[in-house]
Amino acid sequence: MARTVWDSTVGKKTVMAVSGLVMLLYLVAHMIGNLKIFFGAGEFNHYAHWLRTVGEPFMHYEWTLWVIRVVLVVAVVAHATSAYQLSRRDIKARPSKYVHKKPRASYATRTMRWGGIILGLFIVWHILDLTTGTVHPGGFETGKPYQNILDTFSTWYGNVIYIVAMLALGLHIRHGFWSAAQTLGAGSRTRDRALKTVANVLALLLTVGFIAVPVGVMTGVVS
Ligand code: HEM
């Protein structure tokens, strides 16, 4: 049964939509959490500590965080796998008049694919920067994300990487949210305009909310 669903195009689109929405929920929470940086080091670092103790005493230290990490990894893998397989189908399904030319995927597929690749690379960079500290500029300190963020956005390349990724994120969510709504059957002639507006507003809020952090550091509002 699961195999039949996964093998169908609509099954893969559903997997993409649901995994995308899971990541979107995470991003809304992450963006709101990041804005606490404007309330100072004490409040921000306290929030980061709380993320590790959520659910105590039932959950052990960092258990909830690990549950979230596992859910996100499953979502990323499911999203990327179904995207790859759907784009292969999209190319193969082109009419045969293209037989002498190199087959090309549609415009939306290509921009979503490149956006997805940029975001995938960004996530790897971001974890090595602010979670493990491997590529972090300056002395990375576990448990001190406020200072770590100041270090990252005190370099020109840190600002460039994050801002480019946030713009890619906005575009990706704008189209992705809309597609997910269609796949999950929320679209209709009367609702499509509203859905487009929701997709635009959501993409804009996330992009602006995330970019506020590097801009805050660059302008000295966060110091
Ligand atoms: C300016 C924008 C961003 C800032 C300042 C930021 C900051 C941070 C910080 C400080 C952490 C570590 C939290 C901690 O260990 O307590 C973190 C974790 C994380 N961020 Fe971001 N983030 C930003 C944007 C994003 C975006 C756009 C994504 C996804 C597309 C993302 C995905 C993640 C993930 C998955 C983790 C969890 C890593 C882990 O601990 O397992 N972040 N972020």
Side-chain angles (χ1 to χ4, degrees):
M1 165 71 189
R3 180 83 231 177
T4 323
V5 173
W6 174 244
D7 282 344
S8 71
T9 295
V10 69
K12 288 186 203 299
K13 284 191 175 172
T14 307
V15 169
M16 284 216 76
V18 174
S19 56
L21 290 176
V22 167
M23 292 190 282
L24 184 61
L25 270 182
Y26 170 80
L27 284 173
V28 170
H30 189 23
M31 187 275 283
I32 294 172
N34 282 356
L35 292 179
K36 289 171 79 72
I37 199 149
F38 291 100
F39 299 104
E43 188 161 335
F44 192 72
N45 290 345
H46 176 64
Y47 160 64
H49 177 71
W50 171 82
L51 282 176
R52 283 147 178 90
T53 56
V54 191
E56 277 183 4
F58 179 69
M59 298 298 259
H60 185 67
Y61 183 75
E62 283 202 347
W63 274 13
T64 309
L65 189 62
W66 275 104
V67 171
I68 297 171
R69 285 173 173 162
V70 170
V71 170
L72 284 176
V73 169
V74 171
V76 169
V77 171
H79 203 73
T81 313
S82 41
Y84 176 75
Q85 297 185 352
L86 281 169
S87 81
R88 301 296 311 160
R89 279 191 187 179
D90 184 35
I91 292 170
K92 278 195 197 136
R94 293 278 122 173
S96 59
K97 66 178 173 186
Y98 290 121
V99 85
H100 297 299
K101 289 196 190 139
K102 201 169 175 289
R104 277 168 85 76
S106 68
Y107 175 74
T109 304
R110 275 183 288 139
T111 45
M112 289 306 275
R113 180 194 300 159
W114 280 107
I117 291 171
I118 290 173
L119 289 169
L121 291 173
F122 165 75
I123 292 169
V124 173
W125 171 268
H126 182 42
I127 289 174
L128 293 176
D129 177 26
L130 288 174
T131 299
T132 64
T134 322
V135 298
H136 188 69
F140 179 82
E141 275 190 85
T142 308
K144 299 263 168 64
Y146 187 90
Q147 187 56 46
N148 295 335
I149 287 177
L150 279 188
D151 295 342
T152 290
F153 298 128
S154 299
T155 64
W156 67 267
Y157 61 87
N159 288 308
V160 170
I161 293 173
Y162 276 81
I163 292 173
V164 168
M166 293 320 105
L167 294 174
L169 181 74
L171 292 174
H172 202 79
I173 286 173
R174 199 178 128 179
H175 180 81
F177 181 83
W178 161 257
S179 302
Q182 301 304 316
T183 300
L184 299 177
S188 77
R189 219 148 40 95
T190 44
R191 261 190 310 236
D192 277 1
R193 259 173 69 111
L195 279 173
K196 274 209 169 118
T197 309
V198 173
N200 288 344
V201 170
L202 204 59
L204 192 68
L205 280 181
L206 276 170
T207 310
V208 171
F210 274 125
I211 287 183
V213 180
V215 170
V217 177
M218 281 192 278
T219 52
V221 173
V222 177
S223 61

